[in-house]
Amino acid sequence: MTGDGFALLGASDRTPWSHWLLNNVRAQGWPGPVWAVHPRLAEASGVPCYPSVADLPGRVAIGAVALRAELVEQATRDLLTAGARTVLVISNGFRETGHAEGARREERLRAICAEAGALLLGPNCSGFAHYDERLCAIAQPVPAGLTAGDVSVISQSGALLSGVLEALHRDGLGVDRCYSIGNGAAFDLARAVASVAARPTTRVLCLLVEGVAEPDRLAAAIGEARAGGRHVIVLKLGASTAAREVARSHTGAVVGAGRLVRAWLERAGATVVNSIDLMARLAALTPRTPAAPDQAVFLLAGSGGAAALAGDLAEQHGLALARPAADTLARLRELLPPTAHLGNPLDLVGGAPATRGAIYQAVCADPGVGAVLEAYTIAWPDASDGRRWHRAGMEGLAAATAATGTPVVLASVFQQAPTDWLDDFRRRTGVRTAADLETTVAALARLYPASRAAAPAADPAGAVIGEAAGRAALTAAGIDVVPGGIASGVEEALAQAGALTPPVVVKTAADIPHKGRVGGVRVGLRTPAEIRTACADIDAAVRAAGLAVDGQPARFLVQQMVAGPEILVGLVRDEVAGPTVNLGVGGWAAELSAPAVTLALPTTPTELAAAVTGSGLGRAVGDAAAGLVDIVQRLCAAFVDGALRDYEVVECNPVILTTDGPRVVDVLLIPHLAPSTEG
């Protein structure tokens, strides 16, 4: 494009958009001449003005139009005649107005550019940038010093584009291509995604989406981008009713319900975020090579408080934490004092400065660690002598990532600007630094969601009291359980079932928390043949899972099968909050939703009834709410200072609200580490 010019029609010193556009084109160093067109001005923002396109001293490569809508069509024809191959229309007053004349104007504009073989960007947009070609034609403020990089931005919102570029620049990223779509008359969201995804210089696509007119095309474009190894991050605008109305006025497209559109975008292969800061941080942290499915994040901190904060944020945002390998733990024991707690998060305060680098090496070399995040608790170091220990620690972290290839991130626990030394450090080492721990944890949680974490290690022997012993404990506490009993072998199981009214349920009596996950449950059994088959299948499944003892007969729990709403009642003691009761959806769906009711104990029947009936849970169980309140109140009393006071956790899941009253079906108990001796 060298030699051909950039021309702005509608240049003016009275509007900021004209100034920003002309200033950005020149500041980025575009190699061609820059012209302004205005019939009555000699210059605009320091750029010489010409009365018309015909008066320009050379061919036009790119033409921008910032005129009233009724003047845009003729201005576009003039630019095409002057040789323009790209036409940028900043003007509004087209399809987004919802008026027929605006739509007709837009269609004519699209048609004349298509006939000329020129690319039409807009209308109703704020511009575009090809940073690889030193071109920034954006009519918004953009950060000074933003350079070419591997992140591309596509936005339906022109006003938010400036904020996205600022956030990316702050996180140390450069930009490849950037497009404000506006109405997308010819170059719409799907076409822009396909265009950018085809570029080998783009690693991450950041999309700001207001409305989707052709979802199938966009989904296909996102899918092709993902198949090509590109990461697609979407900030979906317009989830609320109020936001939908604003989005309609900007794009003329209907914005779907937030949850539904989010699910659709995720199925297409995009990662959906809810803020510009999170989008930028995720773009900065997304690796070129995806982490292995069994890898997670290791958290480090320079104090116990920071380790606790990082752990809390990890739980809040659903970040998968790596379980240290045995070799890693052994090495950490050598490097840390005997009083240090070895785990994830890891508090580094007990480690001597001389061993800090070796600690980093041990963690980064763990095969289950996909990334390391250190919560940084003090001001970023500068070049002063008093900060040499902090600089040495950070250099040790950089050496560990260089040796192992494990990406590392340093995130401040409070907002702070980087120092000159820190800027140089991250340029030299590739270590990411961030001035916001929570946003960093939230971004990593998109890359390492808790759902991908390895299953927890088996509970220590005796730590969990399973259903068989738990039923006896509840019965002793006066809590109603579903009729049934323990059977040793198939024949005893048949005898137990004979004393019950079919159908019955047969479970393994092995003390494991989630029997269904290992195939240890069969329901709806009516005949002796069905019970024999169920016992054989359960025994085989438990043995295959390595949970049976060779030479000992299989033990089964045979229960009456009952029906009704299923409720989870969880009683938990916390060292800070004390005893609490948590009520929610029970059965297999318990882990899919948060508790509907959480109350600190002790509580009165009146308080408990108000909490239950005032929640969605109360509305769901209807007339059975009174029975639920009764059994929960009795469980709470036994847990606070009664027969269940020696347990850390009492989980009844489910409690079934039968027509004969509530009955506990399954129970899991976890005792105190130091049981009470009272009474």
Side-chain angles (χ1 to χ4, degrees):
M1 291 186 291
T2 303
D4 291 344
F6 178 97
L8 170 62
L9 280 68
S12 171
D13 284 330
R14 298 170 60 186
T15 64
W17 301 282
S18 170
H19 172 78
W20 288 327
L21 181 61
L22 292 171
N23 185 65
N24 288 336
V25 172
R26 290 181 297 169
Q28 199 60 35
W30 188 63
V34 180
W35 303 311
V37 176
H38 194 288
R40 295 181 300 278
L41 293 180
E43 67 171 39
S45 300
V47 175
C49 286
Y50 296 85
S52 69
V53 174
D55 295 313
L56 294 175
R59 285 177 54 85
V60 175
I62 301 170
V65 183
L67 297 167
R68 297 195 311 273
E70 61 268 22
L71 303 177
V72 170
E73 182 178 341
Q74 184 57 53
T76 300
R77 292 184 185 277
D78 293 342
L79 287 169
L80 294 172
T81 300
R85 309 309 298 164
T86 298
V87 177
L88 167 63
V89 179
I90 298 169
S91 310
N92 57 15
F94 294 87
R95 176 168 49 91
E96 81 283 355
T97 64
H99 299 146
E101 179 54 32
R104 286 193 290 268
R105 283 181 185 142
E106 185 168 313
E107 176 54 29
R108 290 194 299 269
L109 197 60
R110 186 203 62 77
I112 61 176
C113 287
E115 183 179 357
L119 174 63
L120 170 64
L121 298 176
N124 187 34
C125 72
S126 63
F128 73 106
H130 293 177
Y131 278 91
D132 61 309
E133 297 174 349
R134 297 191 306 176
L135 171 64
C136 180
I138 297 177
Q140 291 282 339
V142 299
L146 185 62
T147 58
D150 58 8
V151 179
S152 287
V153 181
I154 302 169
S155 177
Q156 286 181 313
S157 169
L160 292 183
L161 189 61
S162 178
V164 174
L165 295 177
E166 287 284 355
L168 293 172
H169 183 52
R170 184 188 60 221
D171 271 79
L173 296 169
V175 172
D176 186 22
R177 294 290 170 96
C178 176
Y179 295 105
S180 168
I181 298 300
N183 290 8
F187 194 72
D188 63 4
L189 201 57
R191 184 178 173 187
V193 170
S195 172
V196 169
R199 295 180 53 75
T201 46
T202 288
R203 174 181 61 92
V204 178
L205 280 74
C206 293
L207 312 183
L208 273 74
V209 177
E210 288 184 339
V212 181
E214 297 182 69
D216 290 345
R217 290 181 56 239
L218 179 58
I222 291 174
E224 290 174 7
R226 293 293 294 123
R230 311 295 185 270
H231 299 273
V232 181
I233 305 170
V234 177
L235 173 56
K236 178 65 183 70
L237 308 172
S240 67
T241 302
R244 283 200 298 272
E245 293 304 317
V246 173
R248 283 196 188 100
S249 69
H250 284 173
T251 66
V254 175
V255 179
R259 284 188 175 183
L260 301 180
V261 176
R262 176 177 182 138
W264 169 77
L265 285 166
E266 289 175 342
R267 182 172 182 177
T271 300
V272 182
V273 298
N274 57 8
S275 75
I276 288 174
D277 285 338
L278 182 55
M279 170 178 277
R281 191 65 44 80
L282 183 56
L285 298 180
T286 298
R288 285 191 173 274
T289 303
D294 58 347
Q295 289 184 318
V297 176
F298 200 99
L299 301 178
L300 301 168
S303 72
L309 174 60
D312 289 345
L313 290 173
E315 180 177 338
Q316 176 184 336
H317 291 283
L319 173 64
L321 298 185
R323 188 175 299 280
D327 290 347
T328 304
L329 291 174
R331 179 61 174 145
L332 292 175
R333 286 190 188 96
E334 297 174 358
L335 298 168
L336 290 164
T339 56
H341 171 70
L342 302 184
N344 184 7
L346 178 66
D347 178 5
L348 294 169
V349 74
T355 64
R356 184 66 63 90
I359 293 171
Y360 289 145
Q361 288 281 351
V363 170
C364 287
D366 191 307
V369 174
V372 174
L373 170 63
E374 180 172 346
Y376 205 75
T377 59
I378 57 178
W380 295 125
D382 54 23
S384 64
D385 181 66
R387 301 302 300 277
R388 62 185 183 276
W389 295 280
H390 302 117
R391 294 195 300 272
M394 293 172 67
E395 296 288 0
L397 190 57
T401 187
T404 63
T406 302
V408 297
V409 189
L410 283 164
S412 175
V413 299
F414 60 95
Q415 290 282 350
Q416 58 173 319
T419 62
D420 291 342
W421 183 89
L422 186 72
D423 283 338
D424 177 69
F425 168 77
R426 62 183 184 182
R427 280 194 298 267
R428 286 189 292 107
T429 64
V431 172
R432 293 289 183 187
T433 63
D436 182 351
L437 178 62
E438 180 166 8
T439 301
T440 306
V441 170
L444 285 170
R446 298 302 205 280
L447 300 172
Y448 301 90
S451 58
R452 68 182 279 166
D459 294 291
V464 172
I465 298 174
E467 185 174 4
R471 284 167 53 87
L474 289 188
T475 300
I479 305 300
D480 297 322
V481 299
V482 171
I486 298 295
S488 181
V490 178
E491 297 306 318
E492 285 191 17
L494 287 168
Q496 288 279 2
L500 303 172
T501 302
V504 299
V505 177
V506 177
K507 309 176 183 179
T508 177
D511 284 345
I512 53 177
H514 300 288
K515 300 176 177 63
R517 293 182 181 176
V518 298
V521 180
R522 296 292 185 275
V523 300
L525 308 175
R526 294 181 177 276
T527 68
E530 290 176 342
I531 293 170
R532 286 184 183 276
T533 300
C535 289
D537 291 344
I538 290 171
D539 186 34
V542 171
R543 291 183 185 279
L547 299 171
V549 179
D550 291 338
Q552 293 187 5
R555 297 175 71 247
F556 305 100
L557 175 60
V558 184
Q559 292 179 316
Q560 181 80 51
M561 187 170 175
V562 295
E566 298 186 2
I567 307 298
L568 165 71
V569 181
L571 300 151
V572 181
R573 286 182 217 281
D574 182 81
E575 61 182 13
V576 175
T580 62
V581 61
N582 303 271
L583 309 180
V585 176
W588 65 269
E591 296 180 5
L592 303 182
S593 60
V597 173
T598 296
L599 291 175
L601 298 179
T603 185
T604 67
T606 301
E607 291 170 338
L608 180 60
V612 169
T613 56
S615 69
L617 196 62
R619 293 189 292 273
V621 302
D623 294 339
L628 173 62
V629 169
D630 175 67
I631 194 171
V632 171
Q633 187 63 41
R634 287 187 283 128
L635 281 165
C636 291
F639 187 65
V640 171
D641 56 10
L644 301 177
R645 66 184 182 278
D646 287 335
Y647 296 101
E648 195 80 21
V649 175
V650 175
E651 180 185 291
C652 301
N653 181 30
V655 175
I656 294 187
L657 306 181
T658 75
T659 54
D660 296 326
R663 299 287 186 272
V664 176
V665 175
D666 196 351
V667 61
L668 179 148
L669 307 177
I670 299 178
H672 289 301
L673 294 178
S676 168
T677 58
E678 296 177 9

